[in-house]
Each structure stands twice: as C-alpha cells, then as structure tokens.
Amino acid sequence: DAGVIQSPRHEVTEMGQEVTLRCKPISGHDYLFWYRQTMMRGLELLIYFNNNVPIDDSGMPEDRFSAKMPNASFSTLKIQPSEPRDSAVYFCASSLSNAANYGYTFGSGTRLTVV
Amino acid sequence: DAKTTQPNSMESNEEEPVHLPCNHSTISGTDYIHWYRQLPSQGPEYVIHGLTSNVNNRMASLAIAEDRKSSTLILHRATLRDAAVYYCILEVLNKFYFGSGTKLNVKP
C-alpha cells in the first residue's frame, strides 16, 4: 500500500500562471478530500468527492480554484490564475466509506509558492 | 470555523504519560471526535477516534466526557517520536473541522 500519492511535492510558480496539483488516492477508497494548510488559517477543507462526484465545494475560495476527479484513481486541483496568497501546503486525503469508521489517510502534501 | 479548543503547546518527559485535552462544547449527538497528529513536513496521521465510549488502540487512548463536551487523548508512554502537533477534530456530516492543535514537545 503506497498510501495517498501527491505530486509535485514542491511547486514554485509566478503570479498569473496556471498550477495543477495531482492526487492518487488509496485503491478502493471512495472518498477524496482536498485541504489547504496555512499558518494563518490552519487546515481548511476545500472540496470532497464521493465515488468521483463532487459533494461539497463550499470551501473552495473562489472561481480561480477548480477540482476534478475523472476516475477513482486520480484527482486534480487547479488554480488559474495563481496569486501569491494561494501559497500554502495542499493536502489530499482519502477514506473508505466514511471517516467515522475508517479514518482518513493523508498524502505528504504539495508545497505551493506563488511569487 | 474551528469547533474545538486545545492548548497551544504542552511539554512532556520521555516515557511518561501525556494527557492532551480538548473542548468541543458545541458537539451534537452524531458528531465523531477524531485525533490526528502531524509531524514536520508530513500530512496529518490518524491516531484514534470515538463517539461516546472511551477507546483504546495501539497508539493511544481516548477518554470522552460523559456530556461529550470534552475529551482527552492519552499517550501512555511518550517517546521522542511522539513530538508533533496533535489535532482534535469534530467530524460533522463527513467534514472535518480542524482546530489549531497542540504542539507536543517531548524532552529526553
């Protein structure tokens, strides 16, 4: 079990550029979550999917952010255009059925720096 | 919108028990209490969770107050590898609400 795999680990981009973060959940997990962590706001849920369908995107900060899950083994979080305030660590997590029974497994995160 | 309150930091001696407190006064009957920890440059890691009864696993114990408005994570023998930020989390309708966490420092 390789766990939740995120890529890239680090991303530095210029303001205005498009950024795509990638996540491969644990095989068989049917929930996928995207979180953002900053010093000021801590860990915030951005969006989550169940069986590849977006269920709650109320945490997505603005229209510049979008997330997709084309199949059960892959998800992307895209920021277009990126801004310096988007600099943060972005985590992907997956779980089986619901966390009440099985808990979440988090990836190692993508550290995004927008300059 | 943090639904839990934890001390910012705590310190423990190696091989001694550690009790990490958490207040969650707005908890409702179906909200689970989760504890995760985060080591530097890593994602949060599951520790334990519960609903009403006290829970034990190989990592820790979770003591939940009778009114469920508070809980305590118990590490029975702290090691240097337990130094991390510990998050007490309420799960509400599949959504985790992270607090600011307690940074645990373990002294040799």
Side-chain angles (χ1 to χ4, degrees), chain A residues 9 31 33 35 37 43 45 48 56 58 91 98-100 103-104 106-107, chain B residues 32 34 36 38 41-46 49 87 91 93-96 98:
Chain A
R9 283 300 308 272
Y31 280 82
F33 305 82
Y35 281 84
Q37 186 173 35
L43 276 154
L45 176 65
Y48 78 91
D56 187 335
S58 59
F91 289 103
N98 63 73
Y104 290 4
F106 281 80
Chain B
Y32 277 79
H34 294 257
Y36 280 67
Q38 188 174 23
S41 300
Q42 295 188 26
E45 172 191 30
Y46 171 81
H49 76 281
Y87 292 99
E91 182 200 353
L93 298 176
N94 268 323
K95 295 173 71 167
F96 273 14
F98 281 82

Side-chain angles (χ1 to χ4, degrees), chain B residues 16-28:
Chain B
E16 290 187 355
V18 182
H19 290 232
L20 299 168
C22 180
N23 289 319
H24 27 77
S25 58
T26 62
I27 194 169
S28 68

Side-chain angles (χ1 to χ4, degrees), chain B residues 82-97:
Chain B
D82 292 323
V85 177
Y86 286 78
Y87 292 99
C88 171
I89 303 157
L90 285 192
E91 182 200 353
V92 181
L93 298 176
N94 268 323
K95 295 173 71 167
F96 273 14
Y97 291 88

Side-chain angles (χ1 to χ4, degrees), chain A residues 12-60:
Chain A
V12 180
T13 190
E14 291 186 347
M15 181 174 62
Q17 296 297 307
E18 176 180 298
V19 176
T20 299
L21 311 181
R22 297 172 176 79
C23 175
K24 176 179 170 58
I26 291 175
S27 177
H29 281 192
D30 53 354
Y31 280 82
L32 184 139
F33 305 82
W34 282 99
Y35 281 84
R36 178 172 68 175
Q37 186 173 35
T38 61
M39 288 294 292
M40 289 293 293
R41 300 176 65 88
L43 276 154
E44 303 173 280
L45 176 65
L46 301 177
I47 185 171
Y48 78 91
F49 296 81
N50 178 220
N51 291 322
N52 312 336
V53 176
I55 303 300
D56 187 335
D57 65 354
S58 59
M60 296 286 261

Side-chain angles (χ1 to χ4, degrees), chain B residues 15-79:
Chain B
E15 297 191 3
E16 290 187 355
V18 182
H19 290 232
L20 299 168
C22 180
N23 289 319
H24 27 77
S25 58
T26 62
I27 194 169
S28 68
T30 57
D31 297 342
Y32 277 79
I33 302 159
H34 294 257
W35 283 82
Y36 280 67
R37 70 181 185 182
Q38 188 174 23
L39 280 67
S41 300
Q42 295 188 26
E45 172 191 30
Y46 171 81
V47 177
I48 200 166
H49 76 281
L51 183 61
T52 56
S53 304
N54 294 343
V55 184
N56 299 295
N57 66 22
R58 64 177 180 80
M59 288 182 70
S61 296
L62 176 59
I64 301 173
E66 195 168 332
D67 64 4
R68 301 186 71 235
K69 294 184 183 301
S70 65
S71 62
T72 302
L73 178 70
I74 302 165
L75 306 179
H76 297 288
R77 287 183 64 198
T79 69

